[in-house]
């Protein structure tokens, strides 16, 4: 039988995930933790489970299309995808941060950027194009999201836009780039997500993995 595939996000979240893997007694092959390894698929101590390590947006893409049965990604990404094929099943309560609108400090722009209600149009740099569209549509503001893949905080400084929509955790990135948080759109934590079809067709095997995470979360 084909092995189950679990998609795990790269980056800072791995630090928070490792204690959960340990508690669940889920062990990855050594190369998984080796930064210089170019391997993409890793075996685990469970004979029917393999793991891939990809960007968090790609976790959602693989799970949405059923290429991965199970994934771990933030509620920000789940919201951005808003897909019926993705079931968020367990809140792991890790990777806590918030998705916020931010702008350059008023002394740098010469205008009070925190008064969003007065805007009829907003150009905003973000990875979260759909969330931005929906959020501003509700406020009757026409959004012009500009999609970037990272280092969003550089966009206002380079004159691309006045606003960004991005994750804020410690606030250090905003601070070091002379930006201020204007308003929080949502709180974010990481979830175990499952592909809808996998949940039906591989119910027993998928539920074993889900139970493993439930007991460790
Ligand atoms: C994330 C996010 C912010 C930063 C916020 O970026 O996009 O840039 O972390 O964290 P802070 O409030 O603690 O400074 P990440 O490090 O994932 O890299 P990216 O810019 O390439 O997305």
């Amino acid at each position: 039988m084909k092995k189950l595939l679990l998609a795990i996000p790269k980056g800072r979240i791995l630090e928070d995930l490792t204690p959960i893997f340990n508690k669940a007694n889920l062990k990855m092959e050594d190369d998984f933790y080796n930064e210089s390894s170019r391997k993409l698929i890793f075996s685990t101590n469970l004979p029917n489970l393999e793991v891939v390590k990809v960007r968090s947006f790609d976790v959602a893409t693989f799970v949405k299309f059923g290429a991965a049965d199970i994934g771990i990604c933030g509620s920000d990404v789940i919201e951005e995808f808003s897909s019926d094929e993705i079931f968020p099943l367990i809140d792991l309560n890790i990777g806590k941060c918030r998705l916020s609108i931010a702008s350059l400090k008023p002394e740098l722009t010469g205008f009070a950027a925190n008064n969003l209600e007065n805007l009829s149009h907003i150009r905003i740099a973000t990875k979260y194009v759909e969330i931005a569209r929906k959020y501003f549509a509700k406020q009757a503001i026409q959004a012009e999201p500009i999609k970037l893949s990272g280092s969003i905080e550089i966009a206002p400084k380079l004159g691309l836009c006045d606003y960004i929509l991005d994750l804020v955790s410690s606030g250090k990135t905003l601070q070091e780039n002379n930006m201020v948080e204007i308003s929080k759109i949502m709180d974010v934590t990481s979830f175990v997500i499952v592909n809808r079809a996998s949940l039906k067709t591989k119910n027993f095997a998928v539920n074993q993995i889900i139970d493993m995470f439930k007991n460790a979360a």
Side-chain angles (χ1 to χ4, degrees):
M1 196 182 153
K2 205 168 167 265
K3 292 184 178 191
L4 288 183
L5 189 66
L6 167 66
I8 291 173
K10 288 178 178 181
R12 286 193 257 183
I13 193 70
L14 265 184
E15 275 174 40
D16 289 350
L17 274 171
T18 303
I20 293 179
F21 294 154
N22 289 341
K23 202 167 165 198
N25 212 13
L26 174 62
K27 292 186 176 55
M28 317 298 175
E29 67 171 290
D30 290 347
D31 273 341
F32 181 82
Y33 296 101
N34 176 1
E35 292 290 321
S36 59
S37 168
R38 301 296 297 155
K39 239 179 148 168
L40 298 173
I41 300 188
F42 305 90
S43 59
T44 72
N45 59 331
L46 302 178
N48 69 338
L49 184 72
E50 284 180 319
V51 166
V52 288
K53 206 167 36 165
V54 294
R55 286 169 199 274
S56 63
F57 274 68
D58 295 341
V59 166
T61 300
F62 283 122
V63 172
K64 176 179 169 180
F65 290 99
D69 304 289
I70 306 168
I72 294 171
C73 71
S75 44
D76 53 330
V77 178
I78 297 167
E79 180 67 27
E80 176 69 10
F81 274 69
S82 286
S83 166
D84 292 342
E85 304 307 313
I86 297 176
F87 272 25
L89 285 188
I90 309 164
D91 185 351
L92 292 173
N93 269 308
I94 57 168
K96 285 184 188 168
C97 56
R98 54 197 185 273
L99 189 59
S100 291
I101 300 166
S103 70
L104 284 171
K105 288 180 177 165
E107 55 266 37
L108 296 174
T109 56
F111 64 91
N114 58 348
N115 235 343
L116 291 178
E117 305 90 66
N118 296 338
L119 297 176
S120 58
H121 171 267
I122 188 167
R123 184 192 273 188
I124 189 159
T126 188
K127 288 182 198 170
Y128 306 92
V129 168
E130 294 307 320
I131 294 178
R133 283 215 179 92
K134 280 186 207 158
Y135 179 80
F136 290 111
K138 275 191 201 143
Q139 309 193 33
I141 299 173
Q142 194 199 348
E144 186 190 341
I146 300 179
K147 173 115 187 180
L148 292 177
S149 311
S151 307
I152 318 288
E153 291 84 355
I154 207 168
K157 197 165 183 196
L158 299 185
L160 190 63
C161 53
D162 289 327
Y163 298 90
I164 66 164
L165 172 61
D166 197 19
L167 295 179
V168 181
S169 179
S170 64
K172 190 165 179 256
T173 311
L174 288 182
Q175 202 180 6
E176 290 190 0
N177 288 283
N178 293 313
M179 299 192 71
V180 283
E181 194 173 351
I182 295 176
S183 98
K184 180 178 84 174
I185 289 195
M186 66 181 285
D187 286 308
V188 173
T189 54
S190 293
F191 279 72
V192 176
I193 59 173
V194 180
N195 171 264
R196 186 162 69 126
S198 296
L199 200 54
K200 280 190 191 155
T201 59
K202 305 177 190 174
N203 186 278
F204 182 74
V206 167
N207 273 316
Q208 274 187 324
I209 307 296
I210 296 305
D211 286 345
M212 182 186 81
F213 279 119
K214 268 189 191 152
N215 294 331

